Amino acid sequence: MSLNDLDERIVHALAEDARRTYADIGAEVGLSAPAVKRRVDRLRERGAITGFTVRVDPSALGWQTEGFIEMYCRSRTSPEDIHRALSHYPEVAAASTVTGEADALVQVFAADMRHFEAVLERIAGEPFVERTKSVLVLSPLLRRYNAGPPR
């Protein structure tokens, strides 16, 4: 699904701040508020916009430790198997299959080092996991939450 320039600009505006009014977005992109609403409704119907959410600093929720776990799985482990197992961990913020030696890369937030270690051990104990490799985040340098490069 490709978006035209106007739809992309609306999506970027919403990605920056989903609480913006349609009138505010319309003023930025050169449309009336009702025209912006119609376009947003159409983008939602087509699945280009999948929802609206809030971004929360993990440390505000007590998650002080962030790390990434590379998962190395037994052969014949499907992405669905990995997804099914990881979906039970509230500490898992994101997980993706990847190229290279690892089969998946998992982003984890934990309360502290002991908590991270416990999550790592539980993930490593999944029946299809052969081994893991982890790294801890010292300082996040850049996080983007928008819908791609700005226009």
Side-chain angles (χ1 to χ4, degrees):
M1 162 185 348
S2 66
L3 304 180
N4 65 33
D5 183 59
L6 203 51
D7 287 340
E8 278 191 37
R9 291 172 58 205
I10 290 170
V11 167
H12 284 287
L14 286 171
E16 274 301 311
D17 182 1
R19 293 181 49 135
R20 290 178 71 177
T21 66
Y22 293 139
D24 182 42
I25 295 169
E28 182 178 318
V29 302
L31 292 175
S32 68
V36 171
K37 182 188 181 320
R38 282 192 301 274
R39 283 179 174 264
V40 170
D41 289 345
R42 189 172 61 245
L43 289 166
R44 290 184 73 194
E45 288 169 10
R46 290 177 31 204
I49 295 175
T50 59
F52 300 89
T53 189
V54 62
R55 291 187 302 260
V56 179
D57 181 349
S59 65
L61 301 174
W63 303 98
Q64 303 293 327
T65 302
E66 177 183 4
F68 290 88
I69 300 171
E70 290 182 355
M71 293 175 58
Y72 299 82
C73 303
R74 298 189 198 322
S75 64
R76 299 182 190 240
T77 301
S78 70
E80 292 79 20
D81 292 336
I82 297 169
H83 176 268
R84 193 173 17 264
L86 294 177
S87 66
H88 295 101
Y89 295 88
E91 299 90 351
V92 172
S96 302
T97 54
V98 294
T99 62
E101 292 182 34
D103 296 294
L105 183 65
V106 183
Q107 181 184 26
V108 172
F109 286 97
D112 54 31
M113 286 298 299
R114 286 183 192 263
H115 184 194
F116 182 85
E117 183 178 19
V119 173
L120 175 61
E121 288 174 0
R122 287 186 1 242
I123 290 173
E126 291 290 340
F128 55 83
V129 176
E130 288 186 337
R131 67 185 177 96
T132 61
K133 180 178 170 184
S134 62
V135 294
L136 293 171
V137 172
L138 298 176
S139 298
L141 299 175
L142 176 66
R143 296 193 193 265
R144 289 199 174 129
Y145 300 103
N146 62 13
R151 295 257 210 211

